[in-house]
Amino acid sequence: MLLLGLVMAGAAYAAFAPAQAQQESSIDNEALVAEGRELFLVGCSTCHGLNGQGQLDVNGNQLGPSLQGVGGAAVDFQVGTGRMPMVQPGQQNPPKNVAYDDDEIAALAAFVQSLGPGPDVPREEDYSTDYLDDLSADERDAAINRGQQIFLTNCTACHNFNARGGAMPRGGYAPTIRGVSNKHIYEAMLTGPGQMDVFSDGNIPPEGKREVLAFLETLQEQPQQGGFSLGGLGPVGEGLYVWLIGIGGLVGFSVWIAAHTTRSKKGKAEA
Amino acid sequence: MSENENLPAQDGPDHSLVPSPTQSDQEIAPGLPAHVWRPTDVDPKAEKRAERQVAGLFVFSMICAVLFVVVYFSFEIGREIDTFLGFGASNLFLGLTLGGSLLGIGVGIIQWARKLMTDVEIAELRHPAASSEDDRATTLKALSDGLEESGIGRRPLIRNTLLGALAFSGIPLIVALRDLGPRNMSHERLESTFWMSGMYVVRDVLGTRINKADLQIGDLVNAEPEGLVPNSEGHLPAPIGPDGQELRPALPHEELLIQKTKSAIILLRMSPNDIVRNPDRENWDVDGIVCYSKICTHVGCPIALNEQQTHHLLCPCHQSTFDLADSGKVIFGPAGHSLPQMHLAEDDEGFLYAMNDFDEPVGPSYWERG
């Protein structure tokens, strides 16, 4: 009877315990971390070390930086945009074809997140701008305006006033933000990949980040009011077009004006 | 051929110095070639066709001008704009129609000139540039007569006062040039900013105070002094010091913008070990958070182009580069001064405020600063 009672109590506890879901997810997470570790050992450990502690080459140069404490968001950004695995070290690590599928990226992120505390992969409600649809037109405009102000203050120095990127010292460049998913932009702000500064939640709060994303969406939806954007890189690029195509066209036109007209072999009939 | 042909030119038949043309000259310069006619000159059909082309271009110009007006009124602008192939339709078609209208007139006139207007070679004789001797003598005589009659040589009082009047009339112009220079530019205005002891640092745009716990290593914050950035309700709060004292009164709008441009700063958090400790700036950072003026010391561009891993701040205007880990020293480019650093401090809760205004003028060099 006592045994039965104990079993019943245990079963009831197991069935109704609030910790169950959490426990399951932590078991899930453990499995994910284990899977991520497998992938990491194969794909990343050559440069980042078997425990993500970073690796020096034989000359003592840093082969890959430590990943302890960079967080899952950095992994999701670097691997999710194809920047990692890297082809070769250099001043600039360009995005390319993504090497892992979404589940593998999630596993890698979970593994790196388990190495040390850092910004984790943001949830969809963090970076989704759908909440704007619930606002009135004026509130939406105000949010997008604020996003623009934050963008102009913090981002345009490197990424250009219309988010097309720009040159950086010693052959590097700030990449374009156009066409990049909200999730990846949000992660880039959180983690500061490469030479980019960090814009953590303490620096620009999450709602400020969402407003920036909302502004970027508006920016990209905008029609080209002034005709062709000509690369959108400002006066230097536009000047190039003016001098080559604009002035070149005028020169061609003047040559045509001054050219000889067609001549006839016939003589004029004397009246 | 006379035996004198190698000698200088002699008097010609009518006493001019130009020798009369010889047989050989005419052989060398046989004159203009025979005129070759254009198709429009000899073929009435071609002429008619060209005429229609020119008229057609002018009509095209008229149509474009009318279309411009149509476009002006028909396309929606403002919030819900009409688009065409991703372009703003109104701007695009206003430009195309106005351009077509002007181009039609221009091309039409050129086509007219090339196909239909008179097309004969004209020889124009070259004339001496100077006027004839008679004309020159007459003019000079009129001038000297005028001088004589005005009596300017005989009346030195009038002559000298006239010269004086002309010289003095230049003075107002020279004095007015002063308006081109800086006005009210006292040393105080050049050397000080809105910052003062105890003034809190707030985020630009958001207007919120910054706690050192908010920032991670690698964080870069564009910031302003409290009192220059409206808060979330849109009000300008008066700057309050750490002991609750009011620091400055509110500013009128124009003055506010001037102060805002001068007071812009950047905060950067780096590992405290990365900071080069200069003796006079031993404790100017708060746990690795350093604070610099955002205004380039070259010609005053605002700079925030920072490389996180090297702590190098690059000015996009002329590539001046400052090392933010080492007192803002210039490591590349034309800037002549280090980026002014601000002595940062924290209150009991960890909120950041300025210990003092910058100890040197922010922005570009000027004469007295050297």
Side-chain angles (χ1 to χ4, degrees):
Chain A
M1 194 63 198
L2 184 69
L3 190 69
L4 187 67
L6 278 174
V7 169
M8 289 285 281
Y13 180 78
F16 296 113
Q20 190 194 21
Q22 204 182 344
Q23 206 171 6
E24 251 175 38
S25 84
S26 96
I27 290 169
D28 277 359
N29 194 48
E30 263 173 45
L32 206 58
V33 168
E35 186 198 339
R37 184 165 181 277
E38 292 296 316
L39 289 166
F40 186 86
L41 290 179
V42 174
C44 320
S45 60
T46 313
C47 300
H48 290 295
L50 291 173
N51 295 312
Q53 79 281 23
Q55 189 78 38
L56 301 179
D57 67 7
V58 286
N59 299 321
N61 296 321
Q62 191 80 38
L63 210 50
S66 165
L67 299 185
Q68 290 168 351
V70 300
V75 178
D76 193 70
F77 175 82
Q78 297 282 359
V79 183
T81 59
R83 286 180 166 81
M84 282 287 160
M86 194 189 248
V87 174
Q88 56 182 14
Q91 187 65 22
Q92 189 73 29
N93 182 17
K96 51 186 180 297
N97 291 337
V98 182
Y100 294 90
D101 67 23
D102 289 348
D103 296 337
E104 290 168 331
I105 293 171
L108 279 169
F111 171 67
V112 171
Q113 183 68 33
S114 75
L115 296 176
D120 202 352
V121 181
R123 292 159 303 161
E124 193 175 347
E125 59 259 37
D126 289 333
Y127 54 81
S128 168
T129 54
D130 293 343
Y131 77 102
L132 287 176
D133 298 337
D134 304 332
L135 301 178
S136 71
D138 281 348
E139 286 171 330
R140 193 161 54 235
D141 283 356
I144 291 170
N145 266 335
R146 206 155 43 237
Q148 177 179 29
Q149 290 301 315
I150 298 174
F151 182 84
L152 291 178
T153 307
N154 293 287
C155 317
T156 47
C158 305
H159 288 290
N160 169 323
F161 54 92
N162 58 11
R164 288 177 194 270
M168 294 289 287
R170 292 178 295 281
Y173 60 87
T176 175
I177 319 178
R178 285 173 175 256
V180 181
S181 74
N182 279 356
K183 186 189 188 190
H184 288 146
I185 297 174
Y186 195 92
E187 287 167 344
M189 289 193 270
L190 270 184
T191 62
Q195 291 288 13
M196 177 170 162
D197 294 302
V198 182
F199 296 93
S200 66
D201 286 347
N203 183 347
I204 300 175
E207 60 267 27
K209 289 194 177 74
R210 278 194 292 276
E211 284 163 357
V212 170
L213 293 173
F215 163 69
L216 286 171
E217 283 173 0
T218 319
L219 182 73
Q220 294 178 66
E221 284 162 12
Q222 257 178 0
Q224 297 289 341
Q225 284 288 12
F228 296 108
S229 67
L230 307 180
L233 294 175
V236 175
E238 283 159 22
L240 196 71
Y241 280 95
V242 168
W243 282 99
L244 287 185
I245 295 174
I247 308 269
L250 289 180
V251 168
F253 215 68
S254 344
V255 168
W256 174 72
I257 291 173
H260 289 289
T261 42
T262 347
R263 294 287 157 176
S264 171
K265 283 182 188 153
K266 280 192 247 173
K268 189 162 187 167
E270 297 296 333
Chain B
M1 293 288 153
S2 72
E3 55 197 22
N4 294 338
E5 67 178 313
N6 291 332
L7 296 177
Q10 293 174 338
D11 273 7
D14 47 358
H15 303 285
S16 87
L17 283 172
V18 180
S20 54
T22 60
Q23 184 64 32
S24 61
D25 278 345
Q26 282 179 358
E27 279 164 10
I28 294 163
L32 294 169
H35 185 71
V36 185
W37 297 100
R38 299 169 300 189
T40 41
D41 292 324
V42 292
D43 183 355
K45 271 188 195 166
E47 189 184 353
K48 271 283 167 209
R49 193 163 57 235
E51 195 178 347
R52 282 196 300 271
Q53 281 170 359
V54 173
L57 283 162
F58 290 155
V59 171
F60 169 76
S61 165
M62 285 189 261
I63 292 171
C64 282
V66 174
L67 279 179
F68 178 90
V69 179
V70 174
V71 166
Y72 180 89
F73 286 109
S74 59
F75 284 116
E76 194 67 42
I77 52 169
R79 184 178 281 275
E80 301 293 332
I81 61 169
D82 291 323
T83 60
F84 179 79
L85 299 177
F87 302 122
S90 182
N91 273 2
L92 179 69
F93 287 109
L94 284 178
L96 284 178
T97 49
L98 187 61
S101 164
L102 295 173
L103 194 71
I105 295 175
V107 175
I109 286 174
I110 289 165
Q111 184 76 347
W112 180 15
R114 279 162 55 99
K115 297 276 177 176
L116 296 174
M117 284 186 190
T118 325
D119 173 52
V120 285
E121 292 82 3
I122 297 170
E124 204 169 342
L125 296 177
R126 206 179 283 181
H127 299 290
S131 310
S132 73
E133 288 293 338
D134 280 354
D135 286 350
R136 281 189 274 178
T138 316
T139 311
L140 283 176
K141 184 166 185 308
L143 266 177
S144 59
D145 283 357
L147 278 175
E148 187 65 33
E149 282 165 23
S150 72
I152 200 165
R154 279 181 293 122
R155 300 188 203 279
L157 180 65
I158 288 180
R159 184 194 65 202
N160 293 344
T161 46
L162 173 63
L163 288 176
L166 289 175
F168 272 58
S169 70
I171 292 176
L173 287 177
I174 293 169
V175 172
L177 286 179
R178 181 174 172 272
D179 286 347
L180 296 176
R183 303 288 293 274
N184 309 322
M185 198 47 90
S186 65
H187 277 265
E188 203 261 332
R189 256 174 101 81
L190 283 170
E191 288 168 6
S192 65
T193 70
F194 193 71
W195 289 103
M196 60 186 288
S197 178
M199 191 169 271
Y200 278 99
V201 181
V202 299
R203 293 173 180 85
D204 199 357
V205 182
L206 300 171
T208 46
R209 290 186 183 179
I210 300 166
N211 195 300
K212 69 170 184 182
D214 293 340
L215 303 184
Q216 299 173 5
I217 287 179
D219 255 321
L220 177 129
V221 193
N222 293 283
E224 288 279 353
E226 190 173 58
L228 294 186
V229 186
N231 57 18
S232 54
E233 285 105 50
H235 298 302
L236 266 185
I240 309 284
D243 304 322
Q245 75 278 31
E246 191 165 317
L247 296 173
R248 281 184 197 270
L251 289 171
H253 185 67
E254 184 198 359
E255 185 65 17
L256 178 89
L257 291 180
I258 294 172
Q259 291 300 344
K260 214 173 157 183
T261 55
K262 282 165 65 183
S263 306
I265 55 162
I266 46 172
L267 293 180
L268 183 69
R269 183 160 204 171
M270 58 182 84
S271 165
N273 303 329
D274 287 351
I275 299 177
V276 179
R277 300 282 162 186
N278 287 318
D280 55 336
R281 295 181 177 185
E282 216 40 89
N283 54 356
W284 278 31
D285 65 305
V286 173
D287 296 350
I289 303 174
V290 289
C291 179
Y292 291 96
S293 163
K294 195 181 169 174
I295 313 301
C296 184
T297 58
H298 178 220
V299 285
C301 295
I303 38 179
L305 212 158
N306 181 52
E307 288 191 306
Q308 194 215 130
Q309 290 164 19
T310 53
H311 315 305
H312 289 170
L313 188 73
L314 176 91
C315 180
C317 294
H318 307 96
Q319 281 72 49
S320 292
T321 309
F322 304 89
D323 189 351
L324 297 191
D326 188 7
S327 308
K329 279 187 182 142
V330 184
I331 53 172
F332 182 79
H337 294 273
S338 297
L339 214 52
Q341 185 175 4
M342 204 169 74
H343 188 170
L344 213 55
E346 55 174 317
D347 69 6
D348 304 335
E349 296 168 54
F351 285 100
L352 303 172
Y353 65 90
M355 275 303 265
N356 256 316
D357 193 5
F358 292 102
D359 63 352
E360 54 187 321
V362 298
S365 306
Y366 47 88
W367 191 255
E368 295 86 347
R369 187 186 178 191

mmCIF file of all heavy atoms in Angstrom, chain A residues 84-116:
data_model
loop_
_atom_site.group_PDB
_atom_site.id
_atom_site.type_symbol
_atom_site.label_atom_id
_atom_site.label_comp_id
_atom_site.label_asym_id
_atom_site.label_seq_id
_atom_site.Cartn_x
_atom_site.Cartn_y
_atom_site.Cartn_z
ATOM 1 N N MET A 84 31.126 32.325 -42.112
ATOM 2 C CA MET A 84 31.868 31.189 -41.568
ATOM 3 C C MET A 84 31.258 29.919 -42.147
ATOM 4 O O MET A 84 30.044 29.851 -42.303
ATOM 5 C CB MET A 84 31.772 31.180 -40.035
ATOM 6 C CG MET A 84 32.670 32.179 -39.345
ATOM 7 S SD MET A 84 34.355 31.616 -39.453
ATOM 8 C CE MET A 84 35.225 33.154 -39.156
ATOM 9 N N PRO A 85 31.983 28.877 -42.437
ATOM 10 C CA PRO A 85 33.439 28.803 -42.347
ATOM 11 C C PRO A 85 34.116 29.722 -43.366
ATOM 12 O O PRO A 85 33.649 29.868 -44.482
ATOM 13 C CB PRO A 85 33.731 27.338 -42.672
ATOM 14 C CG PRO A 85 32.420 26.649 -42.708
ATOM 15 C CD PRO A 85 31.379 27.665 -42.916
ATOM 16 N N MET A 86 35.225 30.282 -42.947
ATOM 17 C CA MET A 86 35.934 31.281 -43.735
ATOM 18 C C MET A 86 36.820 30.595 -44.774
ATOM 19 O O MET A 86 37.361 29.518 -44.518
ATOM 20 C CB MET A 86 36.793 32.058 -42.753
ATOM 21 C CG MET A 86 37.368 33.344 -43.232
ATOM 22 S SD MET A 86 38.538 33.919 -41.983
ATOM 23 C CE MET A 86 37.711 35.337 -41.384
ATOM 24 N N VAL A 87 36.940 31.191 -45.943
ATOM 25 C CA VAL A 87 37.812 30.619 -46.968
ATOM 26 C C VAL A 87 39.271 30.867 -46.615
ATOM 27 O O VAL A 87 40.107 29.967 -46.641
ATOM 28 C CB VAL A 87 37.485 31.224 -48.348
ATOM 29 C CG1 VAL A 87 38.476 30.741 -49.386
ATOM 30 C CG2 VAL A 87 36.081 30.847 -48.771
ATOM 31 N N GLN A 88 39.584 32.105 -46.287
ATOM 32 C CA GLN A 88 40.953 32.421 -45.891
ATOM 33 C C GLN A 88 40.910 33.665 -45.019
ATOM 34 O O GLN A 88 40.035 34.506 -45.197
ATOM 35 C CB GLN A 88 41.829 32.685 -47.114
ATOM 36 C CG GLN A 88 41.276 33.791 -47.988
ATOM 37 C CD GLN A 88 42.121 34.013 -49.222
ATOM 38 O OE1 GLN A 88 42.962 33.204 -49.557
ATOM 39 N NE2 GLN A 88 41.883 35.126 -49.890
ATOM 40 N N PRO A 89 41.850 33.786 -44.096
ATOM 41 C CA PRO A 89 41.854 34.996 -43.274
ATOM 42 C C PRO A 89 42.227 36.199 -44.132
ATOM 43 O O PRO A 89 42.926 36.057 -45.136
ATOM 44 C CB PRO A 89 42.909 34.726 -42.200
ATOM 45 C CG PRO A 89 43.675 33.534 -42.655
ATOM 46 C CD PRO A 89 42.941 32.877 -43.769
ATOM 47 N N GLY A 90 41.744 37.350 -43.760
ATOM 48 C CA GLY A 90 42.051 38.550 -44.532
ATOM 49 C C GLY A 90 41.385 39.742 -43.898
ATOM 50 O O GLY A 90 40.770 39.637 -42.837
ATOM 51 N N GLN A 91 41.497 40.892 -44.571
ATOM 52 C CA GLN A 91 40.931 42.118 -44.025
ATOM 53 C C GLN A 91 39.417 42.052 -44.002
ATOM 54 O O GLN A 91 38.786 42.596 -43.120
ATOM 55 C CB GLN A 91 41.403 43.308 -44.860
ATOM 56 C CG GLN A 91 41.027 44.664 -44.288
ATOM 57 C CD GLN A 91 41.708 44.931 -42.970
ATOM 58 O OE1 GLN A 91 42.734 44.334 -42.658
ATOM 59 N NE2 GLN A 91 41.133 45.808 -42.169
ATOM 60 N N GLN A 92 38.838 41.362 -44.967
ATOM 61 C CA GLN A 92 37.380 41.359 -45.072
ATOM 62 C C GLN A 92 36.894 39.934 -45.269
ATOM 63 O O GLN A 92 37.466 39.180 -46.043
ATOM 64 C CB GLN A 92 36.946 42.236 -46.255
ATOM 65 C CG GLN A 92 35.465 42.467 -46.326
ATOM 66 C CD GLN A 92 34.980 43.430 -45.254
ATOM 67 O OE1 GLN A 92 35.722 44.287 -44.827
ATOM 68 N NE2 GLN A 92 33.747 43.269 -44.824
ATOM 69 N N ASN A 93 35.858 39.566 -44.553
ATOM 70 C CA ASN A 93 35.294 38.230 -44.663
ATOM 71 C C ASN A 93 33.925 38.353 -45.311
ATOM 72 O O ASN A 93 32.947 38.664 -44.651
ATOM 73 C CB ASN A 93 35.191 37.608 -43.266
ATOM 74 C CG ASN A 93 34.650 36.207 -43.315
ATOM 75 O OD1 ASN A 93 34.633 35.577 -44.363
ATOM 76 N ND2 ASN A 93 34.202 35.721 -42.166
ATOM 77 N N PRO A 94 33.839 38.154 -46.629
ATOM 78 C CA PRO A 94 32.574 38.442 -47.317
ATOM 79 C C PRO A 94 31.540 37.342 -47.102
ATOM 80 O O PRO A 94 31.902 36.182 -46.883
ATOM 81 C CB PRO A 94 32.998 38.496 -48.793
ATOM 82 C CG PRO A 94 34.197 37.627 -48.871
ATOM 83 C CD PRO A 94 34.867 37.640 -47.526
ATOM 84 N N PRO A 95 30.246 37.691 -47.169
ATOM 85 C CA PRO A 95 29.223 36.652 -47.097
ATOM 86 C C PRO A 95 29.267 35.787 -48.353
ATOM 87 O O PRO A 95 29.650 36.256 -49.425
ATOM 88 C CB PRO A 95 27.919 37.449 -47.010
ATOM 89 C CG PRO A 95 28.234 38.786 -47.543
ATOM 90 C CD PRO A 95 29.681 39.030 -47.298
ATOM 91 N N LYS A 96 28.949 34.511 -48.206
ATOM 92 C CA LYS A 96 28.920 33.634 -49.374
ATOM 93 C C LYS A 96 27.846 32.576 -49.159
ATOM 94 O O LYS A 96 27.013 32.717 -48.262
ATOM 95 C CB LYS A 96 30.307 33.006 -49.597
ATOM 96 C CG LYS A 96 30.889 32.348 -48.355
ATOM 97 C CD LYS A 96 32.309 31.883 -48.614
ATOM 98 C CE LYS A 96 32.887 31.218 -47.385
ATOM 99 N NZ LYS A 96 33.005 32.117 -46.204
ATOM 100 N N ASN A 97 27.861 31.499 -49.948
ATOM 101 C CA ASN A 97 26.829 30.468 -49.803
ATOM 102 C C ASN A 97 26.908 29.852 -48.415
ATOM 103 O O ASN A 97 27.988 29.569 -47.904
ATOM 104 C CB ASN A 97 27.030 29.388 -50.860
ATOM 105 C CG ASN A 97 26.731 29.913 -52.241
ATOM 106 O OD1 ASN A 97 25.993 30.895 -52.390
ATOM 107 N ND2 ASN A 97 27.324 29.308 -53.246
ATOM 108 N N VAL A 98 25.741 29.633 -47.836
ATOM 109 C CA VAL A 98 25.685 29.100 -46.476
ATOM 110 C C VAL A 98 26.017 27.613 -46.514
ATOM 111 O O VAL A 98 25.486 26.857 -47.329
ATOM 112 C CB VAL A 98 24.288 29.341 -45.880
ATOM 113 C CG1 VAL A 98 24.237 28.841 -44.455
ATOM 114 C CG2 VAL A 98 23.953 30.821 -45.939
ATOM 115 N N ALA A 99 26.924 27.182 -45.624
ATOM 116 C CA ALA A 99 27.431 25.817 -45.675
ATOM 117 C C ALA A 99 26.585 24.853 -44.849
ATOM 118 O O ALA A 99 26.607 23.652 -45.098
ATOM 119 C CB ALA A 99 28.880 25.780 -45.201
ATOM 120 N N TYR A 100 25.867 25.352 -43.854
ATOM 121 C CA TYR A 100 25.094 24.478 -42.971
ATOM 122 C C TYR A 100 23.618 24.775 -43.132
ATOM 123 O O TYR A 100 23.239 25.902 -43.474
ATOM 124 C CB TYR A 100 25.506 24.708 -41.514
ATOM 125 C CG TYR A 100 26.924 24.289 -41.197
ATOM 126 C CD1 TYR A 100 27.971 25.190 -41.325
ATOM 127 C CD2 TYR A 100 27.208 23.002 -40.762
ATOM 128 C CE1 TYR A 100 29.273 24.820 -41.039
ATOM 129 C CE2 TYR A 100 28.509 22.621 -40.476
ATOM 130 C CZ TYR A 100 29.540 23.527 -40.613
ATOM 131 O OH TYR A 100 30.819 23.151 -40.329
ATOM 132 N N ASP A 101 22.766 23.751 -42.853
ATOM 133 C CA ASP A 101 21.331 24.040 -42.901
ATOM 134 C C ASP A 101 20.884 24.622 -41.551
ATOM 135 O O ASP A 101 21.671 24.702 -40.598
ATOM 136 C CB ASP A 101 20.521 22.805 -43.306
ATOM 137 C CG ASP A 101 20.560 21.694 -42.265
ATOM 138 O OD1 ASP A 101 20.812 21.995 -41.087
ATOM 139 O OD2 ASP A 101 20.360 20.523 -42.642
ATOM 140 N N ASP A 102 19.617 25.022 -41.475
ATOM 141 C CA ASP A 102 19.133 25.758 -40.299
ATOM 142 C C ASP A 102 19.300 24.963 -39.011
ATOM 143 O O ASP A 102 19.684 25.509 -37.970
ATOM 144 C CB ASP A 102 17.660 26.142 -40.494
ATOM 145 C CG ASP A 102 17.508 27.222 -41.550
ATOM 146 O OD1 ASP A 102 18.556 27.794 -41.926
ATOM 147 O OD2 ASP A 102 16.384 27.487 -41.982
ATOM 148 N N ASP A 103 19.012 23.638 -39.071
ATOM 149 C CA ASP A 103 19.124 22.822 -37.856
ATOM 150 C C ASP A 103 20.571 22.734 -37.395
ATOM 151 O O ASP A 103 20.865 22.798 -36.194
ATOM 152 C CB ASP A 103 18.569 21.414 -38.118
ATOM 153 C CG ASP A 103 17.083 21.455 -38.430
ATOM 154 O OD1 ASP A 103 16.445 22.457 -38.018
ATOM 155 O OD2 ASP A 103 16.579 20.534 -39.083
ATOM 156 N N GLU A 104 21.473 22.570 -38.351
ATOM 157 C CA GLU A 104 22.893 22.478 -37.991
ATOM 158 C C GLU A 104 23.390 23.792 -37.391
ATOM 159 O O GLU A 104 24.157 23.794 -36.429
ATOM 160 C CB GLU A 104 23.722 22.118 -39.233
ATOM 161 C CG GLU A 104 23.480 20.696 -39.706
ATOM 162 C CD GLU A 104 24.056 20.422 -41.094
ATOM 163 O OE1 GLU A 104 24.156 21.358 -41.909
ATOM 164 O OE2 GLU A 104 24.409 19.278 -41.350
ATOM 165 N N ILE A 105 22.910 24.924 -37.980
ATOM 166 C CA ILE A 105 23.315 26.227 -37.433
ATOM 167 C C ILE A 105 22.799 26.381 -36.002
ATOM 168 O O ILE A 105 23.517 26.841 -35.105
ATOM 169 C CB ILE A 105 22.792 27.374 -38.329
ATOM 170 C CG1 ILE A 105 23.491 27.330 -39.686
ATOM 171 C CG2 ILE A 105 23.035 28.719 -37.671
ATOM 172 C CD1 ILE A 105 22.906 28.271 -40.704
ATOM 173 N N ALA A 106 21.540 25.935 -35.780
ATOM 174 C CA ALA A 106 20.974 26.023 -34.435
ATOM 175 C C ALA A 106 21.792 25.178 -33.464
ATOM 176 O O ALA A 106 22.046 25.591 -32.317
ATOM 177 C CB ALA A 106 19.515 25.565 -34.457
ATOM 178 N N ALA A 107 22.236 23.979 -33.910
ATOM 179 C CA ALA A 107 23.033 23.116 -33.050
ATOM 180 C C ALA A 107 24.379 23.761 -32.731
ATOM 181 O O ALA A 107 24.822 23.787 -31.570
ATOM 182 C CB ALA A 107 23.231 21.765 -33.732
ATOM 183 N N LEU A 108 25.032 24.316 -33.767
ATOM 184 C CA LEU A 108 26.320 24.994 -33.553
ATOM 185 C C LEU A 108 26.155 26.160 -32.577
ATOM 186 O O LEU A 108 26.966 26.357 -31.667
ATOM 187 C CB LEU A 108 26.865 25.508 -34.882
ATOM 188 C CG LEU A 108 27.585 24.488 -35.763
ATOM 189 C CD1 LEU A 108 27.832 25.079 -37.143
ATOM 190 C CD2 LEU A 108 28.908 24.081 -35.127
ATOM 191 N N ALA A 109 25.071 26.932 -32.780
ATOM 192 C CA ALA A 109 24.826 28.079 -31.904
ATOM 193 C C ALA A 109 24.618 27.618 -30.473
ATOM 194 O O ALA A 109 25.133 28.224 -29.524
ATOM 195 C CB ALA A 109 23.618 28.872 -32.405
ATOM 196 N N ALA A 110 23.868 26.514 -30.302
ATOM 197 C CA ALA A 110 23.614 26.012 -28.952
ATOM 198 C C ALA A 110 24.922 25.566 -28.304
ATOM 199 O O ALA A 110 25.152 25.803 -27.108
ATOM 200 C CB ALA A 110 22.626 24.851 -29.015
ATOM 201 N N PHE A 111 25.796 24.941 -29.097
ATOM 202 C CA PHE A 111 27.081 24.499 -28.537
ATOM 203 C C PHE A 111 27.921 25.696 -28.087
ATOM 204 O O PHE A 111 28.428 25.729 -26.957
ATOM 205 C CB PHE A 111 27.850 23.666 -29.568
ATOM 206 C CG PHE A 111 29.252 23.356 -29.147
ATOM 207 C CD1 PHE A 111 29.496 22.514 -28.058
ATOM 208 C CD2 PHE A 111 30.340 23.924 -29.799
ATOM 209 C CE1 PHE A 111 30.792 22.238 -27.655
ATOM 210 C CE2 PHE A 111 31.630 23.653 -29.392
ATOM 211 C CZ PHE A 111 31.861 22.811 -28.313
ATOM 212 N N VAL A 112 28.043 26.689 -28.970
ATOM 213 C CA VAL A 112 28.876 27.847 -28.612
ATOM 214 C C VAL A 112 28.252 28.616 -27.448
ATOM 215 O O VAL A 112 28.954 29.123 -26.569
ATOM 216 C CB VAL A 112 29.095 28.757 -29.845
ATOM 217 C CG1 VAL A 112 29.754 30.060 -29.446
ATOM 218 C CG2 VAL A 112 29.942 28.037 -30.874
ATOM 219 N N GLN A 113 26.914 28.685 -27.424
ATOM 220 C CA GLN A 113 26.245 29.346 -26.307
ATOM 221 C C GLN A 113 26.579 28.635 -24.989
ATOM 222 O O GLN A 113 26.683 29.266 -23.945
ATOM 223 C CB GLN A 113 24.726 29.350 -26.541
ATOM 224 C CG GLN A 113 23.918 30.062 -25.480
ATOM 225 C CD GLN A 113 24.169 31.570 -25.480
ATOM 226 O OE1 GLN A 113 24.416 32.166 -26.527
ATOM 227 N NE2 GLN A 113 24.143 32.182 -24.304
ATOM 228 N N SER A 114 26.766 27.296 -25.065
ATOM 229 C CA SER A 114 27.041 26.535 -23.844
ATOM 230 C C SER A 114 28.467 26.748 -23.352
ATOM 231 O O SER A 114 28.796 26.381 -22.229
ATOM 232 C CB SER A 114 26.798 25.050 -24.096
ATOM 233 O OG SER A 114 27.866 24.514 -24.862
ATOM 234 N N LEU A 115 29.319 27.355 -24.199
ATOM 235 C CA LEU A 115 30.716 27.546 -23.794
ATOM 236 C C LEU A 115 30.871 28.676 -22.790
ATOM 237 O O LEU A 115 31.814 28.688 -21.998
ATOM 238 C CB LEU A 115 31.587 27.851 -25.020
ATOM 239 C CG LEU A 115 31.704 26.741 -26.062
ATOM 240 C CD1 LEU A 115 32.501 27.234 -27.256
ATOM 241 C CD2 LEU A 115 32.375 25.516 -25.471
ATOM 242 N N GLY A 116 30.007 29.654 -22.871
ATOM 243 C CA GLY A 116 30.126 30.794 -21.973
ATOM 244 C C GLY A 116 28.985 31.737 -22.227
ATOM 245 O O GLY A 116 28.370 31.692 -23.296
#
